[in-house]
Amino acid sequence: MTKSNRHYVLAAGGTGGHMIPAFALASELDRRGHHVALVTDERGAAIPGKPDFLTAHVIPAGRFGKNPLRWPSALKRVMEGRSMTLRLFGNFEPSAVIGFGGYPAFPALIAAKSARIPSLVHEQNAVLGRVNRTLARSVDAIATAYPEVKRLKGKYADKVHLVGNPVRASVMALRDEPYPHFSEDGIFRVLVTGGSQGARILSEIVPDGLAMLPPALRGRLQVTQQCRAEDIEAVRARYSAHGIPAELGTYFEDMESRLADTHLFIGRAGASTIAELTAVGRPAILIPLPIATDDHQAANTMEMVEAGGARMIRQPMATVANPDDFEEEKANRMRGRQSDIKQRMAKDLCKQIRVLADNPKGMAQAAHAAWNCGRPHAVSDLADLVESFGGADMMDVIKVGGNQARARVQGAATAHSQARETAR
């Protein structure tokens, strides 16, 4: 098997955060002449965006929760998944197995170790995920999306490679487009999303927070918001009561075109969201999911916030509980407390929007700060790392702290900054 015609197996869990970078890598490896197969679960096989050439192999994957009584059945499913993946390896003969996190990656990667096939994992978040953490010792390389990743032990530093988080080609195509013109009297386009299923807290606080803006600024708003299906009519009524024009939907197929026109993003801080915002350079107000494992969404915001490209608002855990699950007196107290918290969040959101929107030059600077956090070569650098297995030595250019990689990113940022200054 030549370098131009190798076989690779990608293994990813059934969420968009795991699957989007897997799809991006698959497309890049296919473009380079390699053959690629995907190992996932039923949810992963149903995620939209899978390239037509990519065959998905659905395997059982056990979930080890907090209840020890369920561990034996979970282990049984893991071993079933391992056996199925080993049979795939026997036919496909991969040069390497690449895991993107999620439970289906676990049996595939332990199968790779058993078959003595080189393996690596890609971590999309700023906290090493549970599966990747478990496998960190046995894999040959760990690709990261952030310079600093929590829960990644220092003893693994020699196998860590900073590549970034691959994004869709349609989004990456916007990277060299200028930030939409934003002035003191022009349209103010706001995009609100909460991940693939929306976020109820955003449906409750964003309309109210926007309604608190001064009339002159509120009258310039043009809002696009993704909502849950069960919330959409209530959100529409909220915006209508506030006199704010808003386009609502449960899913937008042309999200990249909406992102292209956006002046300000408001939403969750999932890995793919951060990667896309930094790829195109859009300022953001981020509200991390408070129940995310290891609080990884809050960690995801840090680089962008510290650079000046985003602001973060915390959602207290008290807003997560459902009052309907409690007896009447406690439920009423909980609803009152939640109402107060949401009101404070709406006021904070209004304040943060005003800080940005009242200073058009500052808004453009925040956009550029976000852009500087992007890693536009993520998919090619990850593909280079993957190709290093069975071929030449791993490329120093993509090692963490590699001077050439850093120079390439900084050089692109400088050129982009100069082009924007010329445009002004």
Side-chain angles (χ1 to χ4, degrees):
M1 189 181 302
T2 67
K3 179 177 178 179
S4 61
N5 184 23
R6 293 184 190 156
H7 294 181
Y8 294 104
V9 170
L10 312 186
T15 68
H18 297 309
M19 302 300 290
I20 288 174
F23 292 162
L25 177 62
S27 296
E28 177 65 13
L29 292 174
D30 177 74
R31 187 188 68 79
R32 297 185 183 196
H34 303 303
H35 300 288
V36 190
L38 173 69
V39 171
T40 186
D41 57 9
E42 292 181 357
R43 286 196 309 157
I47 294 286
K50 184 175 73 66
D52 292 339
F53 65 83
L54 185 62
T55 301
H57 300 266
V58 176
I59 65 168
R63 301 181 177 222
F64 293 88
K66 295 181 180 180
N67 186 352
L69 297 178
R70 297 183 179 180
W71 291 355
S73 61
L75 179 61
K76 179 181 178 182
R77 290 180 63 80
V78 167
M79 299 312 293
E80 289 174 354
R82 173 183 173 275
S83 297
M84 291 177 64
T85 308
L86 282 171
R87 290 196 291 273
L88 170 64
F89 292 168
N91 295 325
F92 198 65
E93 298 182 353
S95 295
V97 178
I98 303 93
F100 287 86
Y103 291 102
F106 186 65
L109 287 164
I110 62 172
K113 182 174 177 59
S114 175
R116 297 184 179 180
I117 298 170
S119 62
L120 64 150
V121 293
H122 179 269
E123 178 55 60
Q124 301 87 46
N125 293 297
V127 180
L128 197 64
R130 187 174 300 167
V131 169
N132 287 349
R133 196 158 62 235
T134 303
L135 296 164
R137 180 181 179 181
S138 62
V139 298
D140 297 282
I142 301 169
T144 67
Y146 295 90
E148 296 183 14
V149 178
K150 296 179 180 180
R151 307 203 70 170
L152 176 55
K153 295 181 180 179
K155 64 182 179 181
Y156 301 133
D158 288 345
K159 62 170 78 174
V160 174
H161 304 257
L162 174 62
V163 300
N165 195 11
V167 301
R168 295 169 294 167
S170 58
V171 172
M172 188 55 65
L174 301 173
R175 183 164 175 82
D176 293 326
E177 296 295 322
Y179 177 66
H181 178 67
F182 181 72
S183 64
E184 294 180 353
D185 54 2
I187 293 175
F188 181 18
R189 296 186 182 89
V190 177
L191 175 63
V192 187
T193 75
S196 58
Q197 297 300 317
R200 177 157 293 161
I201 192 71
L202 299 179
S203 296
E204 293 173 339
I205 71 166
V206 174
D208 292 348
L210 293 174
M212 296 176 188
L213 294 171
L217 181 55
R218 189 171 67 242
R220 296 162 46 202
L221 286 170
Q222 191 175 90
V223 180
T224 299
Q225 181 162 349
Q226 178 200 36
C227 312
R228 294 182 179 183
E230 61 269 29
D231 297 334
I232 198 164
E233 291 307 320
V235 178
R236 182 171 285 115
R238 259 189 164 102
Y239 277 117
S240 178
H242 297 318
I244 297 174
E247 180 184 3
L248 308 179
T250 56
Y251 178 75
F252 296 113
E253 292 185 0
D254 57 340
M255 187 61 78
E256 58 270 16
S257 66
R258 297 171 188 276
L259 190 59
D261 292 334
T262 293
H263 293 116
L264 177 66
F265 173 87
I266 301 172
R268 292 301 196 196
S272 293
T273 296
I274 300 293
E276 293 190 351
L277 290 173
T278 57
V280 303
R282 293 297 181 269
I285 297 175
L286 301 169
I287 305 173
L289 178 67
I291 58 173
T293 305
D294 297 318
D295 202 21
H296 67 258
Q297 286 205 4
N300 289 350
T301 71
M302 289 298 100
E303 183 183 27
M304 202 173 168
V305 168
E306 290 173 2
R311 294 165 180 267
M312 181 179 71
I313 296 176
R314 278 287 195 175
Q315 176 187 350
M317 288 294 294
T319 61
V320 176
N322 183 1
D324 293 338
D325 295 336
F326 300 89
E327 53 88 19
E328 186 175 359
E329 183 178 351
K330 185 174 182 180
N332 288 335
R333 290 199 306 270
M334 186 177 293
R335 288 190 183 96
R337 186 183 176 196
Q338 288 187 352
S339 178
D340 290 342
I341 291 173
K342 292 169 185 175
Q343 184 73 0
R344 290 198 299 270
M345 289 181 68
K347 289 180 179 179
D348 193 8
L349 178 63
C350 173
K351 177 183 175 180
Q352 300 296 350
I353 293 172
R354 288 196 64 181
V355 170
L356 291 165
D358 287 347
N359 181 6
K361 185 176 181 180
M363 183 85 95
Q365 290 172 341
H368 188 60
W371 189 92
N372 275 335
C373 293
R375 294 184 172 85
H377 304 287
V379 70
S380 59
D381 282 352
L382 182 57
D384 288 345
L385 177 60
V386 168
E387 282 189 329
S388 70
F389 290 98
D393 292 338
M394 289 186 187
M395 299 175 63
D396 289 337
V397 67
I398 52 177
K399 291 263 190 175
V400 168
N403 291 332
Q404 295 180 52
R406 189 161 56 244
R408 182 166 63 181
V409 172
Q410 291 175 345
T414 300
H416 191 269
S417 179
Q418 291 172 347
R420 289 193 171 192
E421 290 298 326
T422 301
R424 291 197 191 102

